Amino acid sequence: MLSLLGLLTGLLLLIVLTMRGVNLFILAPLCALLVAVTNGIPFWQVAGQSDFVHGYMNGFASFVSSWFLMFLLGSLFGKLMEHTGAADAVALAIINKLGKGHAVAAVVLACAVLTYGGVSVFVVAFSAYPMAVSLFKDANLPRRFIPAALGLGSVTFTMTSAGSPEIQNWIPIQYLKTSPYAGWEVSVVVAIFMAALGYGLLKKMINKAVDQGEHFIGRDSDPVVGERALPHPLLGIIPLIVVLLLSNLLHHSLQQAALIVALAAGVLCLYLLNRRFVQNLDKALNDGVTGALLAIGNTAAVVGFGSVAKLTPAFDQIVHAVVALPGPELLGAAVAVSVIAGVTGSASGGQVIALPEIAPTYLERGVDAEQLHRVVAISSGALDSLPHNGYVVTTIRAICGESHHNAYWPVAVVTVLVPLFGTLLAIVLFQWI
């Protein structure tokens, strides 16, 4: 009982204090230490026992060593898209095509194109935010819904879909020996469902707020769109296509390294096509490196928390209870991954911790690896978006300048509730195949 209480208390503190703005690099290990103390885990190495320091750092370091190059190249790709103006050009092309009367749809679609093209979800939010402010201002829509619009296009139906070059779609490959387009038939249906449901719910929330008198309120710090020359939209779209094609074409021969090659080729292609629009290459590269370090560091910090939680008796009890759930095997896998992603506040971190524990069990039971891959990917993008999630904190506070109180609940509807329904739909469809 004390083990479970300590684990839940550590998680609750992690969520609450993250919402209050405490730095994750400090907060995550302190909360993990609380979990360790309440579970009798020694601070330093003791013969025959796991300890806090090695447990936390092994989780932190293993995540960094496995995914640093993907984070780095994804961040460089995104920053070059931003600094060359290619991201703005693609977003503006979508906006001009849809018209300013469809402000919310334009923001969501712009984010979806960039995310599915391989731009890191963190960078997508930075790139699309100026466009979102301009559109919401012209449509006089409450700006507190901008984080939800960015999240719907970035971390739901695109991030975990078949073929996506985002790491949430690639982590299961090393454990299940599948491909990035595993379960693509069901994935297409689920992606369309999630996009439609999320958009419908977001529009309903916005319309209700407008009916109650809410409107756009400008700020002196609002970015201004259109003050610089932009490349042709095709010069931004071509590198996105290069990343998509290479990551899928090279998968069979290079496996996980295919994503590294694809992102590197995308960075090179993007620079060669748009180099005359680069105003400060050193700044673009430095921003990309800094962004990658912060993104992977925040994620790894919470993965370290999850690694300590994994050492507790309560964690084993939770995993065994979930694996023994009645009903479809895929449902148990989805619950396990989603819960652990919620504990770590990270879809990728949840997968890295959960898959070594549950993948062998479900494969031995005869669960199809491709079906398991797709359900794991989709379900990891649900409870991961609790308030302490790195993307949620960064997007709401750092990018959009909002508070959790004003902006989180719309974000939760489209990034937690919608993926949960998407996961259930995927399980149902796989049962029929």
Side-chain angles (χ1 to χ4, degrees), residues 16-275:
V16 172
L17 294 179
T18 299
M19 291 182 68
R20 292 181 175 273
V22 180
N23 190 296
L24 278 175
F25 284 96
I26 298 172
L27 179 60
L30 287 178
C31 290
L33 180 59
L34 173 63
V35 172
V37 170
T38 55
N39 279 270
I41 298 172
F43 181 81
W44 190 248
Q45 202 164 20
V46 176
Q49 281 187 276
S50 300
D51 64 281
F52 163 75
V53 172
H54 288 85
Y56 185 88
M57 291 310 302
N58 286 341
F60 186 104
S62 63
F63 186 84
V64 172
S65 64
S66 295
W67 298 103
F68 175 70
L69 287 178
M70 285 75 162
F71 272 81
L72 175 63
L73 290 168
S75 183
L76 288 174
F77 184 64
K79 282 300 177 181
L80 279 175
M81 286 285 290
E82 177 186 341
H83 280 258
T84 59
D88 287 350
V90 172
L92 279 173
I94 294 170
I95 290 165
N96 292 335
K97 191 72 173 177
L98 292 179
K100 291 189 175 182
H102 300 282
V104 179
V107 173
V108 172
L109 186 56
C111 290
V113 170
L114 294 172
T115 302
Y116 203 79
V119 181
S120 166
V121 294
F122 288 89
V123 178
V124 168
F126 277 107
S127 301
Y129 175 65
M131 301 297 163
V133 170
S134 177
L135 286 169
F136 273 58
K137 179 180 179 180
D138 288 342
N140 198 25
L141 301 177
R143 66 186 303 147
R144 68 184 181 91
F145 291 97
I146 291 178
L150 298 175
L152 177 59
S154 302
V155 296
T156 57
F157 63 95
T158 50
M159 183 180 77
T160 58
S161 291
S164 172
E166 300 295 332
I167 65 169
Q168 290 79 5
N169 181 48
W170 281 72
I171 290 175
I173 294 172
Q174 67 185 87
Y175 300 101
L176 302 175
K177 311 304 178 187
T178 47
S179 73
Y181 39 87
W184 69 268
E185 302 95 331
V186 165
S187 180
V188 169
V189 176
V190 173
I192 294 172
F193 167 79
M194 289 170 64
L197 177 62
Y199 180 72
L201 291 173
L202 182 56
K203 283 288 291 181
K204 184 176 181 180
M205 289 186 291
I206 292 175
N207 290 339
K208 181 178 178 181
V210 170
D211 291 340
Q212 292 175 345
E214 292 190 48
H215 58 89
F216 185 88
I217 300 175
R219 300 172 184 162
D220 293 338
S221 59
D222 282 343
V224 178
V225 179
E227 291 188 337
R228 58 175 293 190
L230 298 177
H232 192 280
L234 280 177
L235 298 182
I237 292 174
I238 290 172
L240 300 177
I241 295 174
V242 167
V243 173
L244 272 176
L245 288 178
L246 287 180
S247 63
N248 284 279
L249 290 175
L250 298 178
H251 163 69
H252 288 296
S253 57
L254 299 180
Q255 297 297 315
Q256 189 172 310
L259 185 56
I260 298 175
V261 174
L263 287 170
V267 169
L268 180 62
C269 177
L270 178 60
Y271 175 72
L272 292 176
L273 290 177
N274 298 279
R275 60 186 182 277

Side-chain angles (χ1 to χ4, degrees), residues 1-15 34-35 38-39 305 309 312 314 318 339 343:
M1 183 63 184
L2 180 60
S3 174
L4 181 60
L5 182 61
L7 178 57
L8 294 178
T9 301
L11 175 60
L12 182 61
L13 281 174
L14 182 61
I15 293 173
L34 173 63
V35 172
T38 55
N39 279 270
F305 172 87
T312 66
I318 292 171
V339 168
V343 170

